Amino acid sequence: MPRRGLTRPLLRAALLTTAGLMVATLSACGGGDAGPKLELSAALPDAAPDGTVLRVGDPATQVALETSGLIDDLDVDVEWANITGGPKTLEAFRADAIDIGSVADIPPLFAHWTGTDVRIVAARETVDPADHPTYELGVAPGVDVSSIEDLKGKKIAYSPGQAQGALVLNVLREAGLSQDDVELVEMQSVDDAFSVALASNQVDVAPLGQTLVKTYLAKYEQDGATTIPSGVRDDAWTLYAPTTVLEDADKAAAIKEYVGLWAQAQQWISDHPDEFAEAYYVDHEGLSPEDAAYVVDALGQFTVPTSWDEFIARHQVTVDTLVKEQDQEPLDVSTLYDRRFEKAIAAAVEGSS
């Protein structure tokens, strides 16, 4: 039976076409020779041997490392993949096209629930999450929504396997509404799919990342489009990898080195917003300088916790919401965290300060 208030998918073609072509190209490169077997409970090797290649789907960090010069401190060879977002990253994992990906906190859960064994190896959060939300709720032209309580009876874009889907459920809870009070329209949030769905009135409301908010309003505000705050925390970010990768001693050592430098790159992004805006959002993503400045200001500063206890506790609350609202299997989310890398990140952060 379909989930409550859920309309069947509208926009899957973009995901299948774009991600499929990307993965087909990357998987041709292969993963190289496997290293020695490493138990998930064993200590991480100190260093990866020469010739170890780490395949990374994390374009924002790639730009930060290259622009800051931190990449010169990376001893392992990296093959960068221009892959972002949960669906594309998971497809790349399943095609053995990348070793590690950068996503919000929901994709690792759905990887687990759909049969791909993964572990989270790094975590990031926002310094002032209430003042710097990752998402706003886009409202379609001509639709009257000025607060989350106004969502009752509205058609809402819903991507159950992505952070945007969990956000919708959290917003409904915050507004005192249930799935029965709205019409959830299932679609993947790929590129500008949600903006297009809003503009064409396929949906009334959709979560929009800050990179889309500015362009959506620039195009459609004159027609009556608006955005409103979601009112819920949405800043969790992770790096995760298939367990098969972490069971390769050479790859695990490479990831140990990468996550330490990744943590330093997140701090560099926070300390150099103008440089990052120009290098990533303008040169890489094609935003105007004005829009790029808006995005980095809206997202605020990042911090990489060296203790994951509170991060995991918040993640468990999200898991419990999904178990209740989506009929998912119960999960102790702490089992998805490989805390060997927590120690590696703490050592790298302390060593760089």
Side-chain angles (χ1 to χ4, degrees), residues 22-33:
M22 177 68 75
V23 168
T25 300
L26 290 171
S27 60
C29 299
D33 295 333

Side-chain angles (χ1 to χ4, degrees), residues 2-336:
R3 288 190 289 271
R4 296 167 290 166
L6 190 62
T7 298
R8 296 312 304 163
L10 293 178
L11 297 175
R12 293 189 187 276
L15 168 66
L16 296 174
T17 301
T18 305
L21 288 174
M22 177 68 75
V23 168
T25 300
L26 290 171
S27 60
C29 299
D33 295 333
K37 177 79 172 182
L38 182 72
E39 297 296 329
L40 294 177
S41 59
L44 296 171
D46 290 332
D50 291 343
T52 301
V53 176
L54 188 65
R55 301 166 300 165
V56 180
D58 192 358
T61 299
Q62 176 188 1
V63 170
L65 290 172
E66 292 174 347
T67 306
S68 66
L70 285 168
I71 199 165
D72 294 336
D73 297 331
L74 193 61
D75 291 331
V76 300
D77 295 328
V78 175
E79 289 182 358
W80 297 102
N82 191 27
I83 288 179
T84 58
K88 293 179 183 179
T89 300
L90 182 54
E91 185 169 348
F93 283 161
R94 289 173 172 167
D96 188 26
I98 61 173
D99 299 315
I100 186 171
S102 176
V103 294
D105 59 340
I106 304 305
L109 305 180
F110 276 81
H112 168 80
W113 279 326
T114 56
T116 299
D117 197 12
V118 298
R119 294 292 185 274
I120 294 167
V121 298
R124 189 192 77 191
E125 52 196 11
T126 301
V127 174
D128 296 307
D131 294 331
H132 296 281
T134 305
Y135 299 97
E136 295 182 29
L137 298 180
V139 181
V143 175
D144 184 15
V145 171
S146 58
S147 70
I148 59 175
E149 287 75 19
D150 295 332
L151 295 177
K152 186 172 183 178
K154 301 300 189 291
K155 295 183 294 183
I156 305 175
Y158 180 62
S159 50
Q162 297 180 270
Q164 293 91 330
L167 178 75
V168 167
L169 297 178
N170 288 333
V171 169
L172 292 179
R173 185 190 66 239
E174 186 72 16
L177 302 172
S178 72
Q179 294 185 48
D180 294 327
D181 294 317
V182 300
E183 180 181 355
L184 298 180
V185 181
E186 187 177 342
M187 62 180 73
Q188 295 287 357
S189 177
V190 179
D191 301 323
D192 62 348
F194 275 14
S195 296
V196 171
L198 286 168
S200 60
N201 291 110
Q202 295 179 71
V203 297
D204 300 318
V205 176
L208 298 179
Q210 294 295 349
T211 54
L212 291 174
V213 167
K214 191 74 170 178
T215 55
Y216 174 67
L217 292 177
K219 289 181 179 179
Y220 304 111
E221 189 171 22
Q222 62 185 0
D223 300 321
T226 59
T227 64
I228 64 168
S230 72
V232 298
R233 185 167 182 172
D234 63 2
D235 61 312
W237 199 257
T238 70
L239 295 181
Y240 77 134
T243 55
T244 52
V245 172
L246 300 176
E247 289 171 335
D248 180 320
D250 296 348
K251 295 279 191 180
I255 291 176
K256 176 184 177 181
E257 181 179 346
Y258 179 76
V259 297
L261 213 55
W262 174 86
Q264 295 178 49
Q266 309 316 301
Q267 186 62 54
W268 181 87
I269 291 170
S270 296
D271 293 341
H272 301 83
D274 294 340
E275 289 179 61
F276 183 70
E278 178 70 23
Y280 183 65
Y281 289 112
V282 176
D283 295 343
H284 190 275
E285 296 294 287
L287 272 63
S288 69
E290 294 76 16
D291 288 352
Y294 168 87
V295 170
V296 295
D297 181 65
L299 291 177
Q301 295 185 323
F302 303 136
T303 183
V304 175
T306 55
S307 170
W308 293 351
D309 291 344
E310 293 184 7
F311 192 94
I312 292 173
R314 290 197 304 272
H315 204 177
Q316 186 65 55
V317 173
T318 299
V319 168
D320 294 342
T321 297
L322 297 179
V323 169
K324 177 182 177 181
E325 298 294 339
Q326 296 181 345
D327 298 323
Q328 301 291 352
E329 290 293 324
L331 170 66
D332 177 359
V333 78
S334 66
T335 61
L336 295 188

